[in-house]
Amino acid sequence: QVQLVDSGGGLVQAGGSLRLSCAASGRTFSSYAMGWFRQAPGKEREFVAGISWSGGSTYYADSVKGRFTISRDNAKNTVYLQMNSLKPEDTAVYYCAARNYTSSTIFVSSGNYNYWGQGTQVTVSS
């Protein structure tokens, strides 16, 4: 089992950058596939980016491709989401998620993840 704590959100102007962090507890973090999702008011939770257990595979939603970068440091039990060139439409609560899976497969459906962080608010002003 793993517990996730999201952090790093805040208020930023359009064009700015933020780095989100997700710290995981537990000794087996390196065996978990990780993902970032977001949910804007009145909208469904949507996939943003995912990374395989080893970090060898990543996948991004089209809306963030080229602007966001997901990475992980298994020695620190942490996954990151570097967000550049932020837009007002990126405003949402961002959640990290984990699934115990040691393969290169990236899961884009929220139902494939077993563990969730509490979320961190990202607000991008125009």
Side-chain angles (χ1 to χ4, degrees):
Q1 192 167 356
V2 63
Q3 293 183 324
L4 307 174
V5 178
D6 306 325
S7 63
L11 173 64
V12 64
Q13 289 189 332
S17 298
L18 283 174
R19 188 176 81 157
L20 305 184
S21 297
C22 174
S25 65
R27 299 180 179 179
T28 59
F29 173 74
S30 61
S31 65
Y32 283 79
M34 302 296 294
W36 283 99
F37 289 75
R38 67 186 181 186
Q39 188 166 17
K43 294 188 177 182
E44 293 186 353
R45 190 169 296 189
E46 65 174 359
F47 172 81
V48 175
I51 189 166
S52 62
W53 67 281
S54 66
S57 298
T58 59
Y59 187 74
Y60 299 90
D62 288 343
S63 59
V64 307
K65 201 172 296 182
R67 299 188 297 123
F68 291 10
T69 302
I70 189 171
S71 62
R72 66 189 297 160
D73 186 337
N74 286 345
K76 295 183 178 179
N77 282 13
T78 303
V79 64
Y80 304 97
L81 186 68
Q82 178 67 43
M83 305 186 296
N84 299 328
S85 303
L86 282 161
K87 305 175 180 179
E89 51 263 43
D90 294 318
T91 295
V93 178
Y94 283 71
Y95 301 88
C96 71
R99 174 190 169 120
N100 192 338
Y101 196 79
T102 53
S103 168
S104 60
T105 302
I106 305 295
F107 298 98
V108 301
S109 172
S110 60
N112 289 124
Y113 292 86
N114 307 108
Y115 305 100
W116 292 85
Q118 83 285 0
T120 184
Q121 176 70 49
V122 171
T123 303
V124 184
S125 63
S126 58

